Amino acid sequence: MKKKSLFAMLLVGLMALSVAASGCIGGGENTKGAIAIVYDVGGRGDLSFNDMAYLGASRAAKDFNLELVELQSNSEDDYYKNLETLAKAKKYKIIIAVGFMMTDATKAIAQKYPEQKFAIVDGFDPEMPDNVMMILFKENEGSALAGALAGLIAANDGKNKVGIVLGMEIPVLYKFEAGYRFGVKWAEDYYRQKTGNDARVDVIYQYTGSFNDAAKGKAAAEAQLQNGAWVVYQVAGGTGLGVFDAVKEYLNTRNRQMGPPFAIGVDSAQDWIKPGVIIASMMKRVDVGVYDAVKAAVDGTFKGGAVELGLKENGVGLSTVDDVMAMFNSLSEDTQKKKLQELGFNSKDELRQYLENTRKQVPSWIWQAVDELKQKIISGEIKVPAPTNKDRIEKVRQAQTWQEMEQLAG
């Protein structure tokens, strides 16, 4: 709760709202309309998916001078109630549903209110009404870079395992897992070609069943570290914050301030949360998707249907130090000072230097290799599988090479 409260302060003075207590930012007499956003049960304060959605919505509200209303769902029953409450008002240029779990509710309410524009993040239904924009991401592509980074770090250090801690077992997370596995196998091949030495890196994985239980994430990561995982990728929202704690404690018990082992963050540029522990983050630019949806509604260019953002569209990718500092700079001055003090830095320059030094723990050729994979995916030379059901992810798990996995990408 402490972390959730802190981040609520960090992000631009927002209001966390509930079904019983809703509210808004902006909304002065001179605004040019309103937009609304509905969160699923994971909610704000996860330092990743939902907070990124808020960042995109709040930036759009500011840029286009709009009132922003937020509703937090406390249970799945709230999805319908929240969306219909907003649609009934007939005042919003667009209503944004954040999360796969609101797919059915969004479809039902959109059918009932065909004049209202909606967007849903991560939700897809082939029979979705035309007044819904479905914002999707190629998490498989971004996660392939995370896997390549993890696999090469492990191979270069003579280790043979990496880990991934996931949240609820839902189709979109299969794309993360498959991409990560693909990247690890690609790393084996790359390492063999570069050094002439064989490398075998296995992936330990666990679905925790939760997006908001840091204790579960920590326990899962601790088990993976004890089992030899040298890098652990968190794909679990608030649950994944426990992964960072586990890696930090692992390093502390060995009197080390920087990895390896490392964690890899997800969704936002999370590196600043625990400098020295998080080597990079797989950014899923939910903020970009939400912002663009609002812009389309404002500009009059809104179109229903699926919009998918990958490496080529800058919708996913590994964080850079500049990304991390941009995220940090978006915080209020008071919050930046408080966070720097908590982390033991006297200035943002010290934080930046520490982040850069963390990355220097990994040889430059590994970063170059990851970028090489990125360019090959962007060019279409390499395709990463994107399974969305149990049968397909099982085939990826059973594949022994990245080439076998690539055959599953069609």
Side-chain angles (χ1 to χ4, degrees), residues 179-192:
Y180 190 63
R181 288 179 178 277
F182 180 96
V184 170
K185 288 300 172 188
W186 183 88
E188 285 181 354
D189 202 20
Y190 188 96
Y191 183 79
R192 188 178 303 113

Side-chain angles (χ1 to χ4, degrees), residues 162-231:
V162 296
I164 177 170
V165 174
L166 304 109
M168 298 173 69
E169 191 165 351
I170 55 178
V172 67
L173 262 60
Y174 290 147
K175 293 165 66 180
F176 283 93
E177 183 192 339
Y180 190 63
R181 288 179 178 277
F182 180 96
V184 170
K185 288 300 172 188
W186 183 88
E188 285 181 354
D189 202 20
Y190 188 96
Y191 183 79
R192 188 178 303 113
Q193 292 182 37
K194 180 175 179 62
T195 67
N197 299 318
D198 286 337
R200 169 80 186 196
V201 182
D202 293 328
V203 176
I204 309 170
Y205 73 102
Q206 181 175 344
Y207 284 86
T208 60
S210 170
F211 286 117
N212 56 6
D213 189 336
K216 279 189 177 180
K218 184 179 180 185
E222 286 174 340
Q224 293 185 359
L225 290 165
Q226 289 170 7
N227 201 21
W230 202 233
V231 179

Side-chain angles (χ1 to χ4, degrees), residues 207-269:
Y207 284 86
T208 60
S210 170
F211 286 117
N212 56 6
D213 189 336
K216 279 189 177 180
K218 184 179 180 185
E222 286 174 340
Q224 293 185 359
L225 290 165
Q226 289 170 7
N227 201 21
W230 202 233
V231 179
V232 182
Y233 179 27
Q234 81 94 349
V235 189
T239 298
L241 298 177
V243 172
F244 303 151
D245 293 335
V247 175
K248 177 69 173 176
E249 288 186 10
Y250 184 98
L251 293 170
N252 286 346
T253 59
R254 289 156 179 78
N255 296 316
R256 295 169 59 188
Q257 298 299 311
M258 291 183 181
F262 289 110
I264 295 178
V266 76
D267 290 345
S268 69

Side-chain angles (χ1 to χ4, degrees), residues 35-40 49-50 53-54 57 69 71 73 78-80 82-84 86 94-107 109-110 117-124 128 132-137 286 289-290 293-294:
I35 58 173
I37 187 167
V38 181
Y39 305 106
D40 66 16
F49 183 78
N50 288 287
Y54 170 77
V69 171
L71 290 182
S73 303
D78 291 341
Y79 300 159
Y80 290 86
N82 282 343
L83 290 168
E84 182 154 34
L86 295 166
I94 190 168
I95 297 170
I96 301 154
V98 184
F100 158 86
M101 290 186 286
M102 279 190 278
T103 303
D104 291 344
T106 301
K107 180 180 179 182
I109 302 303
K117 297 180 179 65
F118 293 86
I120 180 167
V121 182
D122 273 357
F124 177 78
M128 191 68 83
V132 182
M133 178 186 290
M134 296 174 283
I135 305 168
L136 306 173
F137 297 87
V286 176
V290 169
V294 174

Side-chain angles (χ1 to χ4, degrees), residues 281-330:
S281 301
M282 200 296 276
M283 296 184 69
K284 177 174 169 176
R285 300 303 301 267
V286 176
D287 58 330
V288 173
V290 169
Y291 183 95
D292 288 349
V294 174
K295 185 175 185 298
V298 171
D299 290 348
T301 58
F302 176 91
K303 288 177 63 177
V307 176
E308 192 172 31
L309 306 175
L311 285 174
K312 187 175 183 180
E313 297 80 17
N314 199 31
V316 296
L318 281 189
S319 60
T320 66
V321 172
D322 284 344
D323 290 328
V324 181
M325 293 311 299
M327 185 76 181
F328 194 82
N329 288 332
S330 72

Side-chain angles (χ1 to χ4, degrees), residues 139-149 176 179-180 182-184 282 373 377 384:
E139 297 91 350
N140 52 315
E141 293 186 352
S143 295
L145 305 188
L149 177 62
F176 283 93
Y180 190 63
F182 180 96
V184 170
M282 200 296 276
L373 175 60
I377 294 172
V384 184

